[in-house]
Amino acid sequence: LARAIAAIGTSDFIPRALDYLRHVTPFGGCFLTLLDGTRPPVHIYDNVRAERRAEVVDRYLDGAYLLDPFYVHQLDRPQCAAWRLRDVAPDRFQHSSYFRQYYETIRLQDEAAVMVDLPSGKYLFYSIGRLGNDPRFSLRDIERIRKALPVFAVINRRHFADDASRPYLTDEAALARREIEAAMDRFGDGILTERERQIAILVLKGHSSKSIAARIDVSPGTVKIHRKNFYKKLAVSSQSELFHVFLRSLSLSDAA
């Protein structure tokens, strides 16, 4: 903690702050972004291996974050808090293509999120992970982080006190990247009905037919019929193929 405090205002702050957090609860990887309402996350720091960056970091920032349970949860209920993945994920998240893309392929055993509110109204999103054969984050682990969060939040607020003046994202880039969210709203435009698009997005986020039915107030059988219909319309036969169609639609919109 002393080293983290001493590093406030320097380029060493984030590594030292992470050392303090690891002293509280061990973890390996970290991916730090800045959240500002519905604007796309802005990359600040990561320790992802170079050969995995395009598949993990770049794809996430290019639009896959829209399916991230932590991002969705924070958007719905913004707060300074810490959660385990299983505290916020949909009921079928581990069977989703997003999970296979970002967890199984890099042998990510578990993930936790630490959200820190800044004076500007933005939030720091510390995504911390355990790899390989490491144990999953326990309730005791997350409680340790929550007890340390007031101190961790204070040193981050001090370091990022002038974040409004930092060149995280130019207005032109912000405008272009906001188009990603519009692309999500237009997913399947001209092909899918609004209800089919809504259900397709919930499927991609990892919700089961039962969970979707409860959210949109229809029967599970109706959800399955809609799912069969949009699979046919999009010429896909699996959630994995649906995931790639979704990512491709985001890429095409970004390019335009």
Side-chain angles (χ1 to χ4, degrees):
L1 176 59
R3 285 192 290 269
I5 293 172
I8 290 173
T10 75
S11 59
D12 287 334
F13 172 75
I14 295 174
R16 298 292 78 79
L18 289 173
D19 286 343
Y20 167 62
L21 200 58
R22 287 190 183 96
H23 180 73
V24 175
T25 297
F27 59 90
C30 177
F31 182 16
L32 173 60
T33 54
L34 183 73
L35 304 183
D36 183 8
T38 59
R39 297 176 69 173
V42 179
H43 177 273
I44 296 179
Y45 169 90
D46 72 81
N47 60 2
V48 177
R49 298 197 309 270
E51 64 271 20
R52 302 294 302 173
R53 287 190 59 80
E55 192 171 358
V56 177
V57 176
D58 295 345
R59 182 169 288 184
Y60 181 88
L61 295 172
D62 284 342
Y65 68 86
L66 293 165
L67 306 177
D68 180 4
F70 289 122
Y71 174 83
V72 173
H73 186 81
Q74 180 68 7
L75 197 62
D76 289 341
R77 293 177 286 278
Q79 57 186 301
C80 182
W83 307 297
R84 299 171 300 173
L85 178 64
R86 57 188 177 277
D87 295 330
V88 301
D91 58 345
R92 294 279 292 176
F93 180 68
Q94 290 189 344
H95 298 275
S96 69
S97 293
Y98 180 96
F99 181 88
R100 290 193 291 271
Q101 178 74 31
Y102 293 100
Y103 291 80
E104 291 183 350
T105 60
I106 60 173
R107 299 183 69 242
L108 184 61
Q109 177 72 3
D110 200 7
E111 183 184 10
V114 181
M115 302 289 184
V116 175
D117 57 311
L118 298 178
S120 63
K122 302 172 186 177
Y123 283 83
L124 294 171
F125 171 14
Y126 281 87
S127 167
I128 58 176
R130 287 181 172 176
L131 303 173
N133 296 319
D134 292 339
R136 298 175 70 190
F137 287 103
S138 67
L139 186 57
R140 180 173 294 182
D141 290 330
I142 213 70
E143 285 299 331
R144 290 194 189 104
I145 293 177
R146 287 169 179 165
K147 287 180 179 179
L149 185 54
V151 173
F152 186 71
V154 165
I155 62 175
N156 274 277
R157 291 182 194 123
R158 181 66 62 85
H159 178 73
F160 290 97
D162 61 341
D163 75 284
S165 65
R166 295 173 187 261
Y168 289 126
L169 198 63
T170 65
D171 290 339
E172 182 178 350
L175 179 62
R177 303 198 75 171
R178 280 200 296 272
E179 285 297 314
I180 293 173
E181 295 238 357
M184 186 176 187
D185 292 335
R186 296 192 303 267
F187 178 57
D189 196 22
I191 301 175
L192 306 182
T193 66
E194 178 57 28
R195 180 65 90 187
E196 288 168 347
R197 186 201 66 79
Q198 181 186 28
I199 293 174
I201 295 299
L202 289 171
V203 167
L204 286 167
K205 287 180 177 180
H207 288 275
S208 66
S209 294
K210 183 177 180 181
S211 174
I212 294 171
R215 289 174 69 92
I216 65 175
D217 195 26
V218 299
S219 71
T222 299
V223 172
K224 291 178 181 178
I225 292 172
H226 281 304
R227 184 169 181 165
K228 181 179 179 180
N229 289 340
F230 68 69
Y231 267 41
K232 183 177 181 180
K233 289 180 179 181
L234 295 174
V236 300
S237 58
S238 67
Q239 189 183 144
S240 177
E241 291 179 5
L242 179 66
F243 181 67
H244 287 292
V245 169
F246 171 73
L247 292 179
R248 188 164 64 248
S249 71
L250 295 180
S251 298
L252 291 173
S253 175
D254 210 22

